[in-house]
Amino acid sequence: MSSNVADILIEALPYIRSFKDMTIVIKYGGHAMVDEQLKEDFARDITLLKFIGLNPVVVHGGGPQISKVLDQMGISSKFVRGMRLTDAPTMDVVEMVLGGKVNKGIVSQINQQGGKAVGLSGKDGGLIQAEKLHIVYQEDENKPPEIIDPGLVGQVTKINPDIINTLTAKGFIPIIAPVGTGASGETYNINADLVAGHIAQALSAGRFILMTDVDGVLDQAGNLISSIDAQTIKKNIKDKTISGGMIPKIECALEALENGVGKTHIINGKKPHALILELFTDEGIGTQVTI
Ligand SMILES: Nc1ncnc2c1ncn2[C@@H]1O[C@H](COP(=O)(O)OP(=O)(O)O)[C@@H](O)[C@H]1O
Ligand SMILES: CC(=O)N[C@@H](CCC(=O)OP(=O)(O)O)C(=O)O
């Protein structure tokens, strides 16, 4: 082993020590799952975290994967404030794609690396209780806000983390698809960022990491903001510097922090081993969200 490699391993020791038994919730976005090598790297990183004593819990998205299947079926995808408008046929496709190929793909790749991953949706063990979401949308300040009915889109009302705690205590790594159940047993499509934020809160996670396809939160000039607080976030959403899919991400990061989650970062899942670099280096990568 070169001394360089030894130095790197030794440098990681204080982090490994401080992370022991810590729960870390990772939101794995659909845009970060594009490349086979990256997916394998992600599976290896998650397995490594588990073996060195952390408790990783993965909540995955799959927006682009859902859109691709809908497209093949001749159904177009429409989003409002980062939420997919979801009618009944769309809901069937969402549940099929998220719970099927995407969830089981991640499970299988982690198990291939020697981890013990188990796939769940929010229906399993009553994990994600939800209710219908209404979207408040205001195009600009001079217009009154519109209330948009997005169909079978849900918001989380309650997380029952028993199934997660049971699995992690036995050495398993839960991999969660963002589908929830309503009070009458109806199925809801929930934005994966929001699910991940609520799960991070319910588990009082020490770390909450959102992996996406950009380096983090960018400013108006497209430069990375390494740390952003609630006030700047509000301003940047208002002037549309932050838009689309970044809005639910950043809102749930704030909510998680306000409710006891340790530290929250938004990182680029397209960077090889982004997760390890964020956790085990002093500089970190991406954007840290603060309140
Ligand atoms: N200020 C911003 N900084 C970074 N990304 C932004 C910003 N505003 C909007 N975005 C968009 O948000 C996207 C990430 O959200 P999304 O597409 O939902 O990703 P994911 O599938 O990972 O959840 C980025 O690819 C970018 O197009
Ligand atoms: C309501 C809503 O928008 N649900 C999302 C669920 C998947 C998701 O969030 O995937 P990403 O994290 O890859 O964007 C959707 O249907 O696309």
Side-chain angles (χ1 to χ4, degrees), residues 46 67 78 82 90 128 166 208 210 261 281:
I46 295 292
S67 297
K78 284 198 200 78
T90 303
I128 306 170
T166 305
F208 175 30
L210 293 131
V261 170
T281 61

Side-chain angles (χ1 to χ4, degrees), residues 27-33 60-67 79 82-86 90 94 98 133 152-154 178 189-194 211 245 249:
K27 153 67 200 316
Y28 186 33
H31 281 113
M33 299 172 195
H60 64 81
Q65 292 76 1
I66 297 166
S67 297
F79 291 86
M83 304 284 167
R84 181 188 307 276
L85 304 185
T86 307
T90 303
V94 168
L98 291 181
L133 172 79
L152 296 166
V153 173
N189 177 17
I190 314 175
N191 178 282
D193 300 332
L194 304 184
M211 298 178 70
K249 230 173 273 311

